């Protein structure tokens, strides 16, 4: 028989093969209809497994399945199994394998059951049914569905949990539990619904919480409502917003666009009336329309009022005892509206007095216990009198002293004290009587006819190193000032500059001088000493001159005291 290389030479480019060469090429291969003799195969058939009654003997099985163990029942299997072994129970004719933690059934007839799939830890991307109930969802959309047949919800309901037959929420972030509940659209979001037949028309709704049988049946366009109770919120108009409805059939037939209401109580049927910002607390035993104003408690959140249609009481021992911090009285209008007023505004006179808006319109007369004197409080005055009508009348601008037959005998007003007598005596009691005294220093304000204080009188006769006003005026009506200066160091030339000490001085009204000059054995007042020494005064300086000694050193003078009374340039005349 030709080799493969030899056969190829028959069919090189340009060759014309013969019949014998074609036959030789075909004889080199086995036809599919021919049986190949075993001696022509390069295979060791001593290594193959044999079939004995259709079964491979255990001696010819691989080592990892070399044991098939039989037991009477599942309960007879070893508590701790071994991997690589097959366990057969005779009573059920089932086959088990040890997973490392438990036995699992691998009998061929049950490979497709839910239990066997679950035991193997497998999962499916399709919905499954258990006793006719569909279980499904989408991990990519994060939703869970129980009881709903496969529909487009899986592609439109994100982050949604739906439990119940014919429950078909679309949109996002919903939780729905109940048969035939919650009809929404793809734009709805964040609703929580629990109850059969609840929120059946929830198109365009968002963030509602509904709990109860057939609750909130008309919820189209509704947002942020909280509804609790069978048939609560049933019927009515669309676009309800931020209402709280609690109770069986609470808040049914609310009108369109009703918002921000709190309704508590059963059988409150508002007959398509729109409510806004309202509080309604009432319980009705029979169904039918209700009047908002007939609720036990009603109110409005915007106007901030509350009405109680019934008796109102408080347990007495729960009310604190009133003290002075209680300053208001509760009053009411004929229509039952409560208000409060200051205690002073009541019809009686409170201890704290009356308010300006609630004055006493008549006289108030206070008598003493013996009826010997009285005090009358009248409009614009207070009259205190003895039984002879001698007394004091206090008005809005004066205090008048009255006598029975003489009439007014004295009056005190903001203008002064006027008496019918030629004198007016002021006296004080006590061990150290001082008489009239001022509350502050009036020295610089004293006029010609004023009584003066001791301090003013002392000042007129006192001297100080500080510049003070004397209280007097010069002939040009400018104030007169006084100041005293003591010099203990006299310049050698005997000239003392005073223009910086008496600044702005215009006119020297008077001067007093006193000199201690022990070298001359003298201490004297005035401006000359025995015709030997002279002191001249000008506005700018003081000059000493010793008549017979032009070269005298005047620093030998021990001290020189000068007191001047003067006027100032920049002062204006006193009018």
């Amino acid at each position: 028989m030709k080799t493969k290389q030899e056969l190829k030479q028959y069919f090189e480019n340009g060759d014309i093969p013969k019949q014998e060469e074609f036959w030789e090429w075909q004889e080199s291969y086995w036809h599919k209809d021919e049986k190949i003799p075993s001696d022509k195969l390069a295979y060791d058939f001593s290594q193959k497994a044999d079939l004995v009654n259709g079964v491979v003997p255990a001696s010819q099985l691989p080592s990892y399945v070399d044991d098939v163990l039989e037991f009477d029942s599942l309960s007879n299997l070893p508590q701790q199994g071994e991997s690589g072994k097959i366990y057969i129970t005779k009573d059920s004719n089932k086959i088990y394998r040890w997973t490392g933690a438990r036995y699992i059934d691998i009998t061929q007839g049950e490979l497709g059951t839910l239990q066997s799939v679950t035991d193997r830890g497998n999962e499916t991307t399709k919905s499954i049914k258990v006793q006719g109930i569909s279980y499904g969802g989408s991990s990519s959309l994060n939703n869970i569905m129980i009881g709903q047949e496969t529909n487009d919800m899986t592609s439109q309901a994100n982050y949604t949990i739906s439990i119940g037959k014919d429950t078909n929420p679309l949109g996002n972030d919903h939780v729905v539990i109940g048969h035939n509940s919650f009809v929404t659209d793809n734009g709805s979001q964040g609703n929580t619904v629990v109850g059969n037949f609840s929120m059946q028309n929830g198109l365009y709704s968002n963030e509602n919480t509904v709990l109860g049988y057939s609750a909130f049946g008309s919820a189209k366009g509704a947002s942020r409502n909280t509804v609790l109770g069978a048939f609560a919120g049933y019927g009515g108009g669309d676009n309800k917003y931020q209402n709280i409805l609690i109770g069986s059939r609470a808040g049914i037939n609310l009108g369109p666009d009703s918002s921000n209401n709190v309704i508590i109580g059963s059988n409150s049927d508002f007959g398509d009336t729109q409510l806004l910002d309202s509080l309604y607390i009432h319980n009705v035993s029979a169904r039918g329309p209700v009047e908002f104003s007939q609720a036990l408690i009603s109110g409005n959140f915007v106007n901030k009022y509350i009405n109680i249609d019934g008796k109102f009481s408080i347990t007495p021992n729960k009310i604190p005892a009133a003290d002075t911090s209680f300053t208001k009285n509760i009053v009411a209008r004929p229509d039952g509206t409560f208000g409060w007023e200051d205690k002073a505004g009541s019809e009686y006179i409170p201890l704290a007095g009356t308010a300006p808006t609630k004055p006493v319109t008549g006289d108030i007369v206070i008598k003493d216990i013996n009826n010997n004197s009285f005090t009358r409080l009248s409009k614009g005055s207070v009259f205190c009198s003895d039984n002879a009508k001698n007394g004091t009348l206090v008005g809005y601008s004066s205090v008048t002293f009255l006598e029975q037959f003489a009439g007014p005998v004295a009056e005190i007003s903001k203008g002064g004290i006027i008496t019918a007598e030629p004198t007016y005596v002021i006296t004080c009691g006590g061990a150290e009587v001082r008489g009239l005294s001022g509350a502050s220093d009036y020295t610089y304000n004293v006029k010609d006819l004023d009584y003066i204080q001791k301090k003013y009188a002392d000042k007129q006769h006192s001297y100080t190193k500080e510049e003070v006003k004397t209280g007097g005026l010069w002939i040009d009506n400018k104030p007169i000032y006084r100041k005293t200066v003591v010099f203990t160091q006299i310049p050698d030339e005997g000239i003392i500059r005073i223009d910086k000490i008496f600044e702005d001085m215009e006119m020297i009204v008077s001067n007093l001088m006193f000199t201690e000059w022990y070298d001359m054995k003298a201490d004297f007042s005035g401006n000359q000493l025995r015709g030997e020494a002279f002191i001249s005064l000008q506005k700018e300086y003081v000059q000493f001159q010793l008549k017979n000694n032009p070269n005298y050193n005047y620093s030998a003078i021990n001290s020189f005291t000068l007191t001047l009374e003067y006027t100032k340039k920049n002062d204006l005349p006193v009018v």
Side-chain angles (χ1 to χ4, degrees):
M1 182 176 292
K2 298 290 186 179
T3 65
K4 184 181 293 186
Q5 293 301 325
E6 290 175 332
L7 291 173
K8 288 181 179 180
Q9 293 177 2
Y10 295 151
F11 302 96
E12 293 177 346
N13 291 336
D15 293 340
I16 301 176
K18 300 178 181 179
Q19 173 181 314
E20 291 79 7
E21 293 173 340
F22 275 103
W23 287 359
E24 191 170 0
W25 167 65
Q26 291 183 359
E27 291 295 336
S28 298
Y29 297 93
W30 296 103
H31 193 270
K32 67 177 183 176
D33 293 334
E34 295 179 311
K35 291 184 177 181
I36 303 175
S38 61
D39 60 348
K40 299 296 184 180
L41 297 175
Y43 180 78
D44 185 3
F45 285 94
S46 63
Q47 300 300 319
K48 71 176 180 64
D50 298 323
L51 286 179
V52 179
N53 296 325
V55 178
V56 177
S59 60
Q60 296 183 8
L61 290 173
S63 58
Y64 57 87
V65 290
D66 58 355
D67 285 325
V68 177
L69 305 178
E70 292 185 348
F71 293 88
D72 292 335
S73 64
L74 179 61
S75 62
N76 295 119
L77 297 181
Q79 184 176 359
Q80 184 74 26
E82 297 182 39
S83 61
K85 294 186 182 295
I86 302 299
Y87 298 86
I88 300 175
T89 55
K90 297 178 181 179
D91 60 344
S92 62
N93 201 29
K94 290 187 176 182
I95 303 172
Y96 295 89
R97 180 174 61 83
W98 176 254
T99 65
R102 61 190 181 90
Y103 292 100
I104 62 171
D105 189 345
I106 60 171
T107 307
Q108 183 66 35
E110 296 187 7
L111 287 178
T113 64
L114 177 60
Q115 184 62 48
S116 62
V117 171
T118 303
D119 288 341
R120 290 196 298 272
N122 292 330
E123 62 181 48
T124 178
T125 58
K126 297 183 179 181
S127 298
I128 61 174
K129 282 190 175 182
V130 178
Q131 295 183 340
I133 303 300
S134 177
Y135 291 77
S138 171
S139 59
S140 62
L141 299 178
N142 293 288
N143 60 28
I144 298 173
M145 297 176 292
I146 300 176
Q148 179 62 38
E149 298 293 339
T150 302
N151 53 48
D152 60 355
M153 189 184 81
T154 56
S155 63
Q156 298 177 8
N158 296 281
Y159 298 97
T160 292
I161 298 175
S162 172
I163 301 176
K165 184 174 177 57
D166 296 326
T167 296
N168 184 25
L170 306 179
N172 303 301
D173 305 321
H174 304 302
V175 176
V176 184
I177 301 175
H179 171 66
N180 201 18
S181 295
F182 200 72
V183 177
T184 59
D185 65 297
N186 294 342
S188 297
Q189 182 172 341
N191 295 288
T192 300
V193 181
V194 179
N196 290 340
F197 304 100
S198 293
M199 203 168 174
Q200 287 186 301
N201 183 5
L203 296 175
Y204 324 120
S205 61
N206 295 282
E207 301 176 17
N208 298 285
T209 301
V210 180
L211 175 60
Y213 175 74
S214 290
F216 213 37
S218 179
K220 184 177 180 180
S223 296
R224 299 182 181 179
N225 298 280
T226 301
V227 181
L228 174 61
F231 292 96
Y234 192 85
D238 299 336
N239 303 317
K240 301 182 185 76
Y241 176 75
Q242 201 165 286
N243 300 285
I244 298 176
L245 314 176
I246 301 176
S248 173
R249 302 180 66 84
I252 65 175
N253 293 321
L254 275 176
D257 301 303
S258 294
S259 67
N260 200 38
N261 301 293
V262 176
I263 299 173
I264 301 175
S266 298
N267 295 318
S268 49
D269 183 346
F270 292 98
D272 288 325
T273 299
Q274 183 192 62
L275 292 184
L276 299 174
D277 309 303
S278 298
L279 170 67
Y280 178 96
I281 302 177
H282 195 55
N283 218 56
V284 181
S285 58
R287 300 179 185 179
V290 297
E291 291 292 335
F292 178 81
S293 60
Q294 293 179 355
L296 177 62
I297 299 175
S298 60
N300 187 276
F301 297 111
V302 173
N303 298 328
K304 291 188 176 180
Y305 81 83
I306 188 169
N307 180 72
I308 300 176
D309 186 27
K311 295 181 179 179
F312 176 76
S313 65
I314 302 176
T315 304
N317 61 6
K318 302 300 182 181
I319 304 175
D323 54 25
T324 56
S325 65
F326 288 72
T327 60
K328 303 291 184 180
N329 296 317
I330 297 177
V331 294
R333 293 175 180 165
D335 64 359
T337 301
F338 283 101
W340 67 10
E341 64 177 8
D342 292 335
K343 284 184 178 180
S346 302
E347 292 303 321
Y348 61 88
I349 301 176
L351 297 178
T354 59
T357 57
K358 289 283 187 177
V360 177
T361 56
D363 292 352
I364 297 177
V365 179
I366 304 172
K367 293 186 177 181
D368 70 3
I369 192 171
N370 297 316
N371 202 25
N372 291 325
S373 62
F374 67 90
T375 299
R376 173 179 281 115
L377 283 70
S378 302
K379 182 179 180 181
S381 65
V382 177
F383 181 52
C384 299
S385 172
D386 59 17
N387 58 355
K389 297 184 179 180
N390 299 313
T392 303
L393 179 65
V394 181
Y396 62 87
S397 62
S398 65
V399 177
T400 304
F401 299 91
L402 303 173
E403 291 184 357
Q404 183 177 9
F405 300 108
V409 295
E411 183 178 270
I412 301 175
S413 68
K414 64 180 180 180
I417 300 174
I418 302 174
T419 68
E421 300 295 330
T423 59
Y424 190 83
V425 179
I426 298 176
T427 184
C428 302
E432 299 178 357
V433 178
R434 292 168 49 204
L436 291 176
S437 178
S440 59
D441 183 7
Y442 310 136
T443 298
Y444 297 108
N445 305 319
V446 173
K447 303 297 180 183
D448 290 344
L449 297 180
D450 290 350
Y451 290 99
I452 62 171
Q453 296 173 300
K454 179 178 182 297
K455 184 173 182 179
Y456 175 81
D458 290 344
K459 198 163 199 176
Q460 303 307 305
H461 303 88
S462 299
Y463 299 89
T464 174
K465 294 180 180 180
E466 303 295 330
E467 181 181 78
V468 295
K469 285 184 177 181
T470 65
L473 300 175
W474 186 233
I475 58 177
D476 59 0
N477 278 347
K478 285 190 175 184
I480 298 175
Y481 296 84
R482 181 190 296 126
K483 186 175 183 179
T484 298
V485 183
V486 178
F487 301 94
T488 57
Q489 296 289 332
I490 309 301
D492 295 348
E493 68 277 11
I495 297 175
I496 302 173
R497 301 292 304 187
I498 64 172
D499 53 349
K500 299 299 182 183
I501 299 173
F502 297 90
E503 293 182 335
D504 194 37
M505 185 165 57
E506 180 180 34
M507 175 77 68
I508 296 177
V509 176
S510 68
N511 70 86
L512 295 173
M513 300 181 186
F514 183 79
T515 307
E516 294 178 310
W517 198 342
Y518 299 147
D519 188 39
M520 295 291 289
K521 296 182 176 56
D523 45 357
F524 62 96
S525 64
N527 60 354
Q528 63 89 25
L529 175 64
R530 299 187 295 268
E532 299 176 7
F534 299 92
I535 305 172
S536 59
L537 172 64
Q538 297 188 42
K539 290 193 294 183
E540 293 81 14
Y541 60 87
V542 176
Q543 184 173 8
F544 295 86
Q545 289 179 314
L546 193 58
K547 182 176 180 181
N548 297 322
N549 191 350
N551 297 320
Y552 185 76
N553 186 349
Y554 293 97
S555 65
I557 298 174
N558 299 88
S559 71
F560 173 68
T561 302
L562 175 65
T563 299
L564 296 182
E565 289 187 343
Y566 52 93
T567 61
K568 289 189 173 185
K569 299 175 184 177
N570 292 323
D571 280 351
L572 297 175
V574 177
V575 179

